[in-house]
Amino acid sequence: MSKQSVAVRKFDAVIVGAGGSGLRAAIQLSEAGLKTAVLSKVFPTRSHTVAAQGGVSASLGNSEEDHWHWHMYDTVKGSDWLGDQDAIEYMCRKAPEVVVELEHFGMPFDRTDEGKIYQRPFGGHMSNFGEKPVRRACAAADRTGHAMLHALYQRNVRANTQFFVEWMALDLIRDESGQVLGVIALEMETGEVVAFHSKATVFATGGAGRIYYSSTNAFINTGDGLGMAARAGIALEDMEFWQFHPTGVAGAGVLITEGVRGEGGILRNSTNERFMERYAPNAKDLASRDVVSRAMVTEINEGRGCGPNKDFVLLDITHLDPATIMKRLPGIREISIQFAGIDPIKAPIPVVPTCHYQMGGVPTNYKGQVVGDDGAPVRGFYAAGEVACASVHGANRLGTNSLLDLLVFGKASGDTVIDDLRSGEIGLRDLPADFADRTLARLNRLNTQTGGASVNECRLELQRTMQKHCGVFRFKDMLVEGVAKIIEVEKAVAHTEIKDKSQVWNTARVEALELDNLVEVAKATMVSAEARKESRGAHVRDDAPDTPANPNGRDDANWHKHTLWHREGNRLSYKPVIMKPLSVETIALKTRSY
Amino acid sequence: MDDREKLNRLRWRCTRRAMLEMDLLLGEFLERVYPTLDAAQADAFVTMADMEDLELWPLVNGQREPDDAVQAEVLALLRNVRVK
Ligand SMILES: Cc1cc2nc3c(=O)[nH]c(=O)nc-3n(C[C@H](O)[C@H](O)[C@H](O)COP(=O)(O)OP(=O)(O)OC[C@H]3O[C@@H](n4cnc5c(N)ncnc54)[C@H](O)[C@@H]3O)c2cc1C
């Protein structure tokens, strides 16, 4: 492929990703009259945001008294004090506004009798600075994410946003000064490679949960935004922090809702013991997600796992009345039959802690600008949603704060682009002569590689390595070994071979390109996790246990800081956590206990 | 579009969906069952693969039944898929 074959299209703004965050950003830009392109690997309403059922949080106070400051407190505490307090204040204060706006865009929220948005309780939502539970989650039945995407998509159609569907962005374009000038993308239907040359580039590519063997994330979550940013020299922040859900179906990863344990489901090991009684004598199977996940891993590590490889535990509901299962847990029987091959009325469901959400990502400030190591914005580059690290989730995300993050920072990034254009901070700059070279070299390598590794095998090796060495419960020696192993995987990935060399609808090529991104995320995660010698939020190390000096294994003296992973040299640096909110007082460091 | 291109496009639309459940089921179906379908059934499957996940999921897990007879045949096969 020669350089001449890269066509160039010009836009005011290009957004990569059509999930909740990308669509929210696009509304701001298109409604301001900017020529806006949105690229997506799939039709917008097939983005992974659809999978979100639980709801979106906002202190509307529709059901009982609530306040954004209480929401802020819960979020800081949930983050185990690793979240940046300026961004957290910004998000929680903006929440009522963006949720009401969404309602005006046509979102069919559940309603109270008086017609207000109905709010339900959710884990970690408290009133009066952690005093007692408060109803803060807004939902549209069990299809909140789906309804949200549809409302946002319709609004974009009205605003004339230009969609490029089944296009995959491959790389960022930056010039010598570091300014971002757009992306290079591949149209799957033609195999054509096109440069989207723009004044502003917004990343909204979602998460990378597919780095783990067991993941609740759909196949699309391959961390493309992270891979592109890392290859363009942007450091990735706090990548050691991944939230796990305790009960994913072993092998498939499909999520089994907490409701199953709520209805009386019991976790058992290979000796049929109800092991949670030992770890959490009071709450037992209903202890918090991290406690249950760690107990499960301990059972497996100590040889009490089930199955031929002793690598899962069992979730037992055989003692429940079948009528209760069918009535209270709809869909669970079908899921178990289709994805575990067992009927849960007759046999227990094999489950393992399963990767669910990525807290880290491309570093941004609360305005949605991507920031470099010194905290200064990278000109022309913005990010929002799961790909971004603002950081509002810190070491652990609070349920329903992710959908909120999409709305708040999607909107903020759009507004900031508009401001930066008006002030002349950004504008269309010439493409450097070699802008497409590295991408074309990558594509060319794939077209000519012989005797290389299989994409599927490399991906599987990567996922198994992450699961075994960097899972929900982490061990020093395993992490050290994991770093060496993931570097081996990287070497194989550099030589993947695809048999299909055609242009049109070459899905093998697309999957190889996705793997290039997964491997960057895997390295960032493993290296960052190995280095962080404390336990905090979702990062829990066996050699950093709960002690009086370091409750929960958290070591603020040495580790109250953000990790930055640099692809170049596989190197780490650190930056301080922003403790100063925008208008209120700092929420001071405290032990996190519920 | 030739057959390879059509099949690859279908593969993408079966395995890059909004819900993991659907990626797994449709991906498995495509590899194992789709090659055995007759022409009318294959067309019905392509139509179903173009549905959104929250339209298709209730059909797959039996909360809803399709109106179309050929779709019902394909659905019966889809409901029998086991992903392990
Ligand atoms: C099962 C499940 C349930 C959840 N429930 C909740 C909940 O109840 N509440 C909550 O707050 N959060 C929940 N979450 C988390 C939340 O859904 C996600 O964090 C959020 O939807 C991510 O949105 P996003 O806009 O960042 O990305 P996504 O919705 O994932 O969209 C990413 C977009 O980027 C595009 N894209 C990616 N790479 C490329 C590329 N290279 N080129 C072009 N386009 C690309 C994709 O096509 C897609 O359009 C849940 C997550 C899961 C997995």
Side-chain angles (χ1 to χ4, degrees), chain A residues 570-591:
Chain A
N570 216 355
R571 174 177 67 83
L572 299 173
S573 62
Y574 294 90
K575 67 175 183 182
V577 176
I578 298 174
M579 292 293 281
K580 195 172 163 25
L582 297 171
S583 72
V584 291
E585 295 211 337
T586 294
I587 296 173
L589 280 161
K590 219 166 94 173
T591 304

Side-chain angles (χ1 to χ4, degrees), chain A residues 45-292:
Chain A
T45 52
R46 285 186 174 212
S47 300
H48 199 33
T49 295
V50 166
Q53 303 187 335
V56 51
S57 48
S59 59
L60 297 169
N62 285 352
S63 304
E64 57 194 314
E65 192 188 357
D66 200 1
H67 197 283
W68 65 261
H69 202 184
W70 301 344
H71 186 183
M72 176 181 173
Y73 177 85
D74 296 342
T75 305
V76 171
K77 178 177 171 184
S79 82
D80 216 350
W81 275 268
L82 195 69
D84 287 329
Q85 296 196 13
D86 56 346
I88 295 176
E89 174 179 338
Y90 184 80
M91 179 176 81
C92 297
R93 285 184 80 149
K94 282 275 178 190
E97 172 190 318
V98 294
V99 165
V100 169
E101 224 165 41
L102 186 64
E103 185 185 27
H104 294 159
F105 292 165
M107 171 87 171
F109 280 116
D110 296 342
R111 293 183 184 284
T112 63
D113 292 341
E114 313 96 85
K116 293 185 190 162
I117 295 175
Y118 172 79
Q119 299 190 276
R120 53 165 91 140
F122 212 95
H125 295 180
M126 312 286 272
S127 67
N128 210 12
F129 307 100
E131 208 175 85
K132 60 176 200 301
V134 68
R135 283 174 276 176
R136 188 180 291 148
C138 314
D142 61 356
R143 35 175 68 205
T144 308
H146 170 93
M148 182 184 216
L149 267 192
H150 276 263
L152 295 174
Y153 179 65
Q154 288 311 327
R155 187 85 185 183
N156 270 294
V157 169
R158 213 183 79 170
N160 283 325
T161 301
Q162 267 180 271
F163 286 99
F164 293 82
V165 172
E166 296 178 334
W167 280 74
M168 180 180 182
L170 304 179
D171 277 303
L172 264 184
I173 306 172
R174 289 183 89 179
D175 69 9
E176 268 164 33
S177 75
Q179 182 156 345
V180 169
L181 308 178
V183 292
I184 299 177
L186 171 81
E187 183 180 28
M188 296 183 204
E189 196 185 337
T190 58
E192 203 190 337
V193 176
V194 173
F196 286 74
H197 184 194
S198 61
K199 298 171 189 165
T201 303
V202 184
F203 268 15
T205 50
R210 297 308 303 179
I211 63 165
Y212 285 95
Y213 181 70
S214 189
S215 173
T216 66
N217 287 193
F219 290 178
I220 196 169
N221 276 13
T222 52
D224 297 356
L226 301 174
M228 287 187 272
R231 280 192 297 276
I234 309 277
L236 304 182
E237 182 172 343
D238 292 340
M239 289 305 297
E240 61 272 47
F241 297 99
W242 292 82
Q243 191 170 70
F244 281 70
H245 194 289
T247 54
V249 172
V254 171
L255 196 141
I256 302 280
T257 127
E258 246 117 22
V260 171
R261 279 171 290 135
E263 290 297 331
I266 291 172
L267 289 163
R268 298 187 188 281
N269 60 20
S270 59
T271 68
N272 210 30
E273 182 202 8
R274 181 180 194 177
F275 60 84
M276 282 313 299
E277 286 180 330
R278 268 189 282 122
Y279 296 90
N282 295 319
K284 293 180 189 156
D285 302 277
L286 289 174
S288 66
R289 280 185 185 179
D290 51 331
V291 172
V292 176

Side-chain angles (χ1 to χ4, degrees), chain B residues 42-72:
Chain B
D43 284 347
F45 178 69
V46 171
T47 307
M48 287 161 75
D50 275 340
M51 288 181 182
E52 287 199 16
D53 282 357
L54 292 196
E55 272 175 89
L56 191 51
W57 182 233
L59 290 171
V60 173
N61 72 17
Q63 286 166 8
R64 265 186 49 209
E65 295 301 326
D67 309 323
D68 180 85
V70 188
Q71 266 191 20

Side-chain angles (χ1 to χ4, degrees), chain A residues 70 83 131 150 236 289 303 310 326 381 391 404 428 448 513:
Chain A
W70 301 344
E131 208 175 85
H150 276 263
L236 304 182
R289 280 185 185 179
K310 297 176 161 294
M326 307 297 268
F381 195 22
S391 146
L404 177 60
L428 204 63
T448 52
L513 293 165

Side-chain angles (χ1 to χ4, degrees), chain A residues 310-344:
Chain A
K310 297 176 161 294
D311 55 359
F312 56 79
V313 298
L314 296 169
L315 177 57
D316 187 2
I317 53 172
T318 56
H319 53 288
L320 301 184
D321 176 8
T324 309
I325 296 176
M326 307 297 268
K327 179 159 169 265
R328 303 240 180 203
L329 301 169
I332 288 302
R333 187 167 182 221
E334 288 75 16
I335 285 180
S336 306
I337 291 173
Q338 289 203 292
F339 300 104
I342 61 104
D343 182 346

Side-chain angles (χ1 to χ4, degrees), chain A residues 41-43 45-48 50-51 142-143 146 150 166 188-189 210 215-220 222 252-255 330-331 334-335 337-341 459 500 502-508 510-511 514, chain B residues 1-2 4-27 47-55 57-58 60-63 77-84:
Chain A
K41 292 200 283 189
V42 296
F43 192 79
T45 52
R46 285 186 174 212
S47 300
H48 199 33
V50 166
D142 61 356
R143 35 175 68 205
H146 170 93
H150 276 263
E166 296 178 334
M188 296 183 204
E189 196 185 337
R210 297 308 303 179
S215 173
T216 66
N217 287 193
F219 290 178
I220 196 169
T222 52
V254 171
L255 196 141
E334 288 75 16
I335 285 180
I337 291 173
Q338 289 203 292
F339 300 104
R459 189 196 307 108
D500 186 352
S502 59
Q503 286 297 307
V504 175
W505 275 110
N506 184 341
T507 42
V510 172
E511 291 189 353
E514 287 181 332
Chain B
M1 245 194 262
D2 67 24
R4 182 200 63 85
E5 292 161 8
K6 275 192 196 145
L7 184 64
N8 274 354
R9 183 177 67 180
L10 183 60
R11 177 168 295 125
W12 185 252
R13 291 181 185 174
C14 285
T15 58
R16 290 299 181 283
R17 305 190 64 93
M19 288 166 65
L20 174 63
E21 287 85 338
M22 294 315 217
D23 284 339
L24 291 166
L25 276 184
L26 297 192
T47 307
M48 287 161 75
D50 275 340
M51 288 181 182
E52 287 199 16
D53 282 357
L54 292 196
E55 272 175 89
W57 182 233
V60 173
N61 72 17
Q63 286 166 8
L77 297 169
L78 190 55
R79 285 176 184 167
N80 268 328
V81 169
R82 302 286 173 267
V83 180
K84 284 194 47 185

